Amino acid sequence: MPYRGWADEGYGAFADEFARNFAERGELGAAAAVFVGGRKVVDLWGGVADDRTGREWQEDTVLPVMSLAKSVVSFLAHLLAQEGKLDLDAPVAGYWPEFARHGKEGITTRMVLAHTAGIPLAERELTFEELAAWTPVIRALEEQQPLWEPGTAFEYHAHAFGFIVGEVIRRLTGRTPGRYFRAVIGDPLGLRTWIGMPQEEVPRLARLVEAEGRTPLPSADLLPMRAVTMNGALPFPGLDDPHGYNSPALLTAEFPGAGAVSSARGLAALYAAVASGLDGGPRLLSEGTVTDAVTQLSGGPSFSGFPDLGARWGSGVLLDSAFRRLLGPRSFAHSGAGGQFAFGDDEFGVGFAYTANRMGGPGDERAERLIGALRGCVGAE
């Protein structure tokens, strides 16, 4: 048997697809978890966590889940809005006055959540140490001019998303988003999910491995790559570079747009807490708040000319779309580079997550096959 863990009766088809990922789709190490109605119904893990040493994937293994950090930051923003502390449609500058420079006076938090704010990166060249120190990034974003009229075009705000929304959170709460998340969600729910991984988690970290046949990346000079690398300060993929995504230096710092570390169970529980509450507890976000989050705001070809891959965005969440079919119009999701994926759905009461250390290449179907099996298990076909 290629995995350990368990699946409740009625979820055997899901477990079968998890096994096929190892047998047929080149899986190295992976985990998947599902909650329904706040109760865990699937918890699976297996394979190799570190291909250099052969260390096995354990129940408590965590790994870099990249841009799933954006879901953590988005949930915090919606929680603050639900509490009446943040107006997503008010200018960011109302909470962060220094932001109101160079044509950014009208940019709202919702524009950032929708990747339409016109600031996909800070163009000032910063070192890794400056990025990890937080304040230099914030100063660079204050000086940045929008690349287009805010709210009128879409371009993925790879790292700027987390720093801009994260600074709004810091101004409101006095804590950076990683620390605020642990205080109000992560620690109370016991989630193995962090933006700013504790040093003691390093021995339990799975090592990411590049997929064979990965599609060539765009030129480093193009806007999408400059946004992903913060103008070359971060390697991509560059997993084993000194500051790549296998680097504890990156993962223990707070990179709130793409620096999350988690177990699959931690992510699935987080999405379940939003969708239904856990184990009979209250939901993190109300039905009305989720309705606001899943209202489509953006998608299509990007400002830089990147083609439309079918993804559609609400307020900080990826929606059920041609890019990734989920359960329906109440589904809210996010992906992480290389195949990491998590989503929730409050109509079906589902929280799902899949994590893997072999990053996906062309035609990667691992998460898609698991979600397809889950649709059948919960009657969403």
Side-chain angles (χ1 to χ4, degrees):
M1 183 175 293
Y3 63 85
R4 289 177 284 173
W6 53 272
D8 271 5
E9 185 177 354
Y11 293 87
F14 186 97
D16 290 344
E17 287 298 337
F18 189 76
R20 288 191 187 101
N21 281 349
F22 286 92
E24 302 172 11
R25 302 174 190 128
E27 198 75 277
L28 177 63
V34 179
F35 288 73
V36 176
R39 185 177 67 85
K40 188 164 52 178
V41 298
V42 175
D43 194 8
L44 302 170
W45 65 91
V48 175
D50 190 328
D51 66 319
R52 299 168 303 180
T53 65
R55 174 167 54 91
E56 293 185 352
W57 197 292
Q58 303 293 333
E59 184 176 1
D60 63 351
T61 295
V62 295
L63 77 165
V65 294
M66 313 274 203
S67 285
L68 277 153
K70 293 183 181 68
S71 60
V72 173
V73 171
S74 298
F75 294 155
L76 291 175
H78 284 291
L79 184 62
L80 288 167
Q82 182 173 276
E83 294 169 346
K85 299 173 182 175
L86 172 61
D87 182 348
L88 298 178
D89 297 305
V92 167
Y95 307 100
W96 173 7
E98 300 88 342
F99 188 74
R101 299 174 185 168
H102 310 298
K104 301 193 299 298
E105 297 83 353
I107 291 175
T108 66
T109 301
R110 196 180 302 278
M111 289 177 189
V112 184
L113 293 173
H115 301 276
T116 64
I119 320 175
L121 79 163
E123 293 185 296
R124 182 198 300 175
E125 292 189 2
L126 299 166
T127 66
F128 174 83
E129 289 73 22
E130 287 173 323
L131 292 175
W134 189 275
T135 300
V137 189
I138 301 310
R139 296 291 172 262
L141 288 166
E142 289 170 357
E143 297 303 320
Q144 179 64 38
Q145 296 182 6
L147 302 187
W148 63 84
E149 182 181 348
T152 65
F154 167 80
E155 186 78 43
Y156 190 64
H157 286 44
H159 286 282
F161 177 109
F163 282 110
I164 298 171
V165 181
E167 180 65 5
V168 171
I169 292 168
R170 192 188 71 82
R171 297 282 174 133
L172 287 170
T173 69
R175 296 174 180 173
T176 53
R179 293 177 181 177
Y180 189 62
F181 168 73
R182 291 307 306 178
V184 300
I185 299 175
D187 287 342
L189 296 181
L191 304 182
R192 291 182 53 71
T193 303
W194 299 273
I195 301 174
M197 174 184 67
Q199 188 68 38
E200 58 266 26
E201 290 295 329
V202 171
R204 288 177 281 274
L205 190 66
R207 177 177 178 271
L208 296 174
V209 177
E210 267 291 339
E212 295 179 5
R214 191 166 173 79
T215 304
L217 294 170
S219 166
D221 295 332
L222 294 180
L223 179 59
M225 285 304 293
R226 291 196 294 122
V228 167
T229 65
M230 290 292 274
N231 265 341
L234 298 174
F236 190 85
L239 299 175
D240 292 313
D241 288 355
H243 302 134
Y245 279 93
N246 283 324
S247 165
L250 185 148
L251 300 172
T252 56
E254 280 201 40
F255 283 84
V261 171
S262 187
S263 66
R265 186 188 300 165
L267 285 172
L270 172 61
Y271 275 82
V274 172
S276 65
L278 289 176
D279 299 321
R283 296 176 57 159
L284 282 178
L285 301 182
S286 69
E287 181 180 354
T289 300
V290 171
T291 298
D292 182 58
V294 300
T295 300
Q296 183 178 327
L297 298 176
S298 62
S302 76
F303 170 79
S304 64
F306 201 74
D308 183 6
L309 300 180
R312 297 295 178 264
W313 294 92
S315 295
V317 296
L318 188 64
L319 306 179
D320 183 73
S321 67
F323 174 74
R324 180 63 52 80
R325 186 182 170 203
L326 303 172
L327 302 185
R330 301 291 297 180
S331 294
F332 50 94
H334 216 288
S335 59
Q340 328 301 335
F341 199 83
F343 80 89
D345 188 296
D346 66 351
E347 178 182 354
F348 292 92
V350 164
F352 161 94
Y354 162 75
T355 61
N357 60 346
R358 187 185 295 281
M359 300 179 73
D364 182 19
E365 295 182 335
R366 294 170 298 172
E368 182 179 345
R369 293 287 187 170
L370 291 173
I371 296 167
L374 181 59
R375 282 197 298 272
C377 294
V378 299
E381 294 290 2

